[in-house]
């Protein structure tokens, strides 16, 4: 460790959407010589992919639902978690505490604020989450993944920083690879995932939609689809009836390798999914989860759809016929799909982990670096939007575009 070694604490809910960017930041801070610890719940402590060096602390965290009768117990749990976090901080003495959303982040951030430790929150979605919204007025900085975020009050503009949503190193390493060759005679590789929530509608609609494609596309299909265990046999039968070759599983270990070969992605619009699609540059048809809090998945699609890198279909209109129509519009000509891939790639923010680490390091150390400021308050990701002559954003990369 160097003489500038500091301690940072990351706090996140136990889902992959919260923990993936937290783990990416942990790797970057550890690479820079700092100590990093994690506050989460039981799910987060056991989730695959947690760095070996990252010690996890499980603290009580009440969940505030719609039933007010449960709020007293939730408040009690938050207060207990806040007290326990303060005991941890007395030992660790962190330079800053960084929250990634989810209820487990709440007591950790409240404890830090009570001890006057700098706090930062990172928002993965295009709608400010409930915990981040609750604490937005009290934190020292708000790091954003999108240039336009709903539920973020204008009065907080001076402490917001556009950094992007960090992705896994295995995915980021694909960014400079060519978009896989897509010709009028070659294979048409489609990747379908839906996550644990709402994947059934994809299992029901996608096989039939693919069967309705024009023969020139249908006969070249090679499908990889992630399904829920209870749907696996039915989906396999659908593809067999349509005579479409498909590899199906409930989980794929080498998802990054499969993404590398993909010509078109079909799936939900979670923050990590969009971040990975834009990091690699893969066109997509997105079906936002309708029950997502504050409809944040629909908001997540705005930037990539506006750029031309994806199409979004509301679940109420997600039929086999509509899916086939949208796929045909994107893939009937090779250059159309390649242009969509390039548009998606242009939305990527590959420096997200580094920019977020720069922001985090600016507390308790040197003055905030100019490199992460644009105007008064945005990070380097914003400068990519503001400067049309930047090669990383607007110069064609030769990826089939």
């Amino acid at each position: 460790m160097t003489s500038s070694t500091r301690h940072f604490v990351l706090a996140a809910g136990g889902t992959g959407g919260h923990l993936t960017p937290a783990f990416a930041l942990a790797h970057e801070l550890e690479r820079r010589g700092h100590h990093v610890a994690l506050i989460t719940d039981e799910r987060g402590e056991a989730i695959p992919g947690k760095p070996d060096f990252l010690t996890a602390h499980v603290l009580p965290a009440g969940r505030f639902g719609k039933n007010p009768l449960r709020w007293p117990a939730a408040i009690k749990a938050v207060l207990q978690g806040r007290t326990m976090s303060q005991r941890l901080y007395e030992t660790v003495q962190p330079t800053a505490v960084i929250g990634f959303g989810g209820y487990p982040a709440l007591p950790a951030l409240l404890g830090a604020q009570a001890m006057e430790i700098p706090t930062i929150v990172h928002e993965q979605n295009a709608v400010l989450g409930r915990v981040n919204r609750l604490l937005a007025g009290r934190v020292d900085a708000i790091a954003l993944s999108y240039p336009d975020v709903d539920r973020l009050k204008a009065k907080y503009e001076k402490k917001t920083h556009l950094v992007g949503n960090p992705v896994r190193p295995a995915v980021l390493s694909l960014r400079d690879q060519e978009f896989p060759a897509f010709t009028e005679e070659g294979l048409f590789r489609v990747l379908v995932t839906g996550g644990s929530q709402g994947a059934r509608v994809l299992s029901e609609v996608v096989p039939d939609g693919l069967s309705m494609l024009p023969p020139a596309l249908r006969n070249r299909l090679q499908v990889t689809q992630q399904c829920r265990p209870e749907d696996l046999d039915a989906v396999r039968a659908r593809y067999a009836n349509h005579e479409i070759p498909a590899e199906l599983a409930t989980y794929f270990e080498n998802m990054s390798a499969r993404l590398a070969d993909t010509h078109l992605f079909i799936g939900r619009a979670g923050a990590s999914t969009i971040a990975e699609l834009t990091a690699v540059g893969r066109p997509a048809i997105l079906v936002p989860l309708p029950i997502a809090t504050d409809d944040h998945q629909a908001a997540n699609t705005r930037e990539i759809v506006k750029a031309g890198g994806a199409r979004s279909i509301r679940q109420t209109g997600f039929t086999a016929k509509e899916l086939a129509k949208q796929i045909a519009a994107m893939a009937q000509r090779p250059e159309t799909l390649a242009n969509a891939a390039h548009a998606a790639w242009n939305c990527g923010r590959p420096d997200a982990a580094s920019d977020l680490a720069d922001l985090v390091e600016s507390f308790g150390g040197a003055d905030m670096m100019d490199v992460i400021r644009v105007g008064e308050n945005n990070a380097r990701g914003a400068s990519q939007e503001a400067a049309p002559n930047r090669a990383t954003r607007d110069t064609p990369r030769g990826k089939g575009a």
Side-chain angles (χ1 to χ4, degrees), residues 34-376:
H34 301 302
H35 296 285
V36 192
L38 173 70
I39 290 177
T40 186
D41 57 17
E42 291 82 359
R43 297 174 302 166
E45 184 184 34
I47 199 168
K50 183 174 72 67
D52 293 337
F53 64 82
L54 189 62
T55 302
H57 303 268
V58 176
L59 303 185
R63 184 176 181 84
F64 294 85
K66 295 181 179 180
N67 185 354
L69 296 178
R70 297 182 178 179
W71 292 355
I75 293 172
K76 181 179 179 181
V78 169
L79 294 176
Q80 290 176 337
R82 184 184 68 173
T83 299
M84 293 175 66
S85 72
Q86 289 174 309
R87 292 174 187 162
L88 174 64
Y89 302 153
E90 288 174 356
T91 301
V92 174
Q93 296 186 342
T95 296
V97 176
I98 304 94
F100 288 85
Y103 286 104
L106 179 58
L109 291 165
L110 290 174
Q113 289 167 351
M115 298 177 68
E116 298 185 347
I117 299 169
T119 53
I120 302 145
V121 292
H122 178 270
E123 179 56 58
Q124 298 88 51
N125 294 296
V127 180
L128 201 63
R130 290 177 179 176
V131 170
N132 288 349
R133 199 155 65 229
L134 178 65
L135 297 175
R138 302 178 59 181
V139 298
D140 296 281
I142 302 170
L144 304 178
S145 300
Y146 295 93
D148 297 311
V149 176
D150 298 341
R151 299 282 187 114
L152 177 63
K153 295 180 179 179
K155 65 182 180 180
Y156 302 141
E157 181 181 357
K158 289 187 177 181
K159 60 179 175 182
T160 63
H161 306 264
L162 177 60
V163 300
N165 192 13
V167 300
R168 297 170 293 158
V171 172
L172 191 59
S173 67
L174 303 175
R175 182 163 175 83
D176 291 328
Q177 292 186 13
E178 298 285 336
F179 181 65
F182 181 66
T183 66
E184 294 180 356
E185 294 81 26
L187 290 174
F188 178 27
R189 298 186 185 90
V190 177
L191 175 64
V192 187
T193 70
S196 60
Q197 295 190 79
R200 178 161 293 161
V201 69
L202 297 172
S203 296
E204 293 172 348
V205 173
V206 173
D208 294 346
L210 293 175
S211 75
M212 295 180 182
L213 288 174
L217 284 175
R218 173 178 166 162
N219 295 338
R220 297 187 285 125
L221 280 169
Q222 186 177 76
V223 181
T224 299
Q225 183 161 349
Q226 184 183 33
C227 309
R228 294 198 286 193
E230 59 267 33
D231 299 334
L232 202 56
D233 290 340
V235 178
R236 185 174 286 114
R238 284 177 184 266
Y239 278 115
N241 289 338
H242 294 313
E243 299 182 344
I244 296 174
E247 180 183 4
L248 310 177
T250 58
Y251 179 75
F252 292 106
E253 290 281 351
N254 57 340
M255 188 59 80
S256 59
R258 295 174 186 277
L259 186 60
D261 292 334
T262 294
H263 295 116
L264 179 67
F265 172 87
I266 303 172
R268 293 301 193 188
S272 292
T273 295
I274 302 257
E276 292 190 352
L277 290 172
T278 57
V280 179
R282 292 297 180 268
I285 292 177
L286 301 168
V287 187
L289 182 68
I291 62 172
T293 305
D294 297 319
D295 201 21
H296 67 256
Q297 287 205 1
N300 290 348
T301 69
R302 289 188 305 228
E303 184 181 33
I304 188 173
V305 168
K306 183 179 179 181
R311 297 183 179 221
S312 181
I313 306 174
R314 285 286 191 173
Q315 186 161 310
T316 53
F318 185 59
T319 63
K321 184 177 180 181
E322 180 63 21
L323 176 62
K325 174 184 173 182
Q326 297 298 337
I327 294 174
M330 295 182 74
Q332 275 197 311
R333 294 197 305 271
E335 63 271 19
T336 304
L337 199 63
N339 288 339
H342 180 58
W345 188 88
N346 267 343
C347 292
R349 295 182 173 87
D351 297 321
S354 177
D355 284 350
L356 183 56
D358 287 346
L359 176 63
V360 167
E361 281 189 323
S362 71
F363 291 91
D367 291 338
M368 187 173 295
M369 297 166 58
D370 288 340
V371 71
I372 64 166
R373 286 191 176 277
V374 175
E376 293 183 353

Side-chain angles (χ1 to χ4, degrees), residues 383-396:
S383 71
Q384 294 176 333
E385 294 292 341
N389 62 341
R390 287 185 68 108
T392 55
R393 299 292 293 175
D394 297 284
T395 301

